[in-house]
């Protein structure tokens, strides 16, 4: 059985927010480094320890925000932000721009899957993911079938 979805375009703002949220969740330990810098206040009492830690963490978040914004501007990544339909089966996910152009994504390329309240998010790397909102599926059965495939591939519990 093949799941055929409606056409969907990933908005650049959505991509940036989701990517930033993912990287901050994955690298949560960086906040501990900022807190350790703040603890320098107890060694030499100066507000500059706290200001420096806040600025450093702010620059870290800004770095990743610039990275994800840059991805949306690169010419080679333009196809990711075009309207496309998906054909999903137990072998692969076919991302189709039109009837003749498409790109297959094998299941072994997917590192992890997150099921949010309104979408499946399939992560290929830190900065690459496939966002499949529930509204693009033609029926509830298609959504359940994809969930079954993901469970069989041991990508979700």
């Amino acid at each position: 059985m093949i799941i055929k979805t409606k056409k969907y375009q990933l908005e650049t703002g959505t991509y940036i927010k989701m990517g930033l949220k993912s990287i901050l969740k994955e690298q949560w330990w960086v906040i501990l480094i900022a807190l350790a810098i703040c603890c320098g206040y107890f060694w030499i009492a100066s507000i500059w320890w706290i200001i420096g830690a806040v600025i450093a963490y702010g620059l870290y978040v800004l770095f990743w925000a610039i990275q994800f914004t840059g991805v949306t501007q690169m010419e080679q990544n333009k196809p990711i932000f075009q309207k496309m339909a998906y054909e999903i089966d137990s072998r692969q996910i076919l991302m189709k721009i039109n009837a003749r152009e498409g790109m297959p994504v094998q299941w072994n390329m997917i590192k992890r899957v997150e099921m949010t309240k309104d979408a499946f998010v399939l992560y290929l790397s830190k900065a690459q993911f496939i966002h499949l909102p529930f509204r693009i599926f033609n029926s509830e059965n298609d959504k359940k079938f994809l969930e079954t495939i993901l469970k069989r591939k041991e990508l979700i519990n």
Side-chain angles (χ1 to χ4, degrees):
M1 185 174 154
I2 296 177
I3 301 168
K4 293 186 179 186
T5 67
K6 300 172 191 165
K7 284 197 167 227
Y8 168 69
Q9 180 176 6
L10 178 62
E11 298 297 324
T12 55
T14 305
Y15 172 79
I16 293 167
K17 280 186 238 168
M18 290 178 65
L20 200 52
K21 181 179 157 190
S22 168
I23 204 74
L24 293 176
K25 193 166 32 169
E26 188 178 308
Q27 296 185 356
W28 58 270
W29 49 267
V30 175
I31 196 91
L32 296 177
I33 294 171
L35 290 173
I37 293 170
C38 286
C39 288
Y41 179 83
F42 300 115
W43 181 49
I44 300 173
S46 173
I47 192 72
W48 290 106
W49 288 104
I50 297 166
I51 292 171
V54 169
I55 289 172
Y57 189 71
L59 288 173
Y60 171 78
V61 172
L62 181 64
F63 167 79
W64 282 108
I66 290 169
Q67 294 296 313
F68 287 111
T69 304
V71 166
T72 66
Q73 305 301 316
M74 292 174 59
E75 193 61 40
Q76 68 240 33
N77 292 330
K78 290 292 182 197
I80 297 171
F81 303 104
Q82 290 180 346
K83 221 173 185 143
M84 57 177 95
Y86 298 88
E87 289 185 8
I88 305 165
D89 61 25
S90 59
R91 294 174 293 128
Q92 67 186 6
I93 299 171
L94 185 61
M95 302 165 63
K96 294 179 74 172
I97 295 170
N98 57 40
R100 291 184 309 230
E101 293 179 81
M103 183 182 89
V105 176
Q106 302 300 322
W107 287 108
N108 61 1
M109 295 171 68
I110 297 171
K111 305 289 184 241
R112 65 185 170 96
V113 175
E114 189 176 298
M115 191 170 160
T116 64
K117 67 180 187 317
D118 63 343
F120 291 104
V121 184
L122 292 72
Y123 290 92
L124 305 171
S125 69
K126 284 182 185 178
Q128 289 183 314
F129 54 85
I130 300 170
H131 183 247
L132 300 171
F134 295 154
R135 62 183 157 77
I136 69 169
F137 293 101
N138 294 314
S139 70
E140 190 66 28
N141 288 337
D142 287 348
K143 189 177 96 172
K144 288 192 186 304
F145 183 62
L146 176 57
E147 196 172 337
T148 303
I149 291 172
L150 294 171
K151 283 179 183 176
R152 235 183 268 147
K153 303 280 182 193
E154 296 179 355
L155 293 168
I156 60 173
N157 299 333

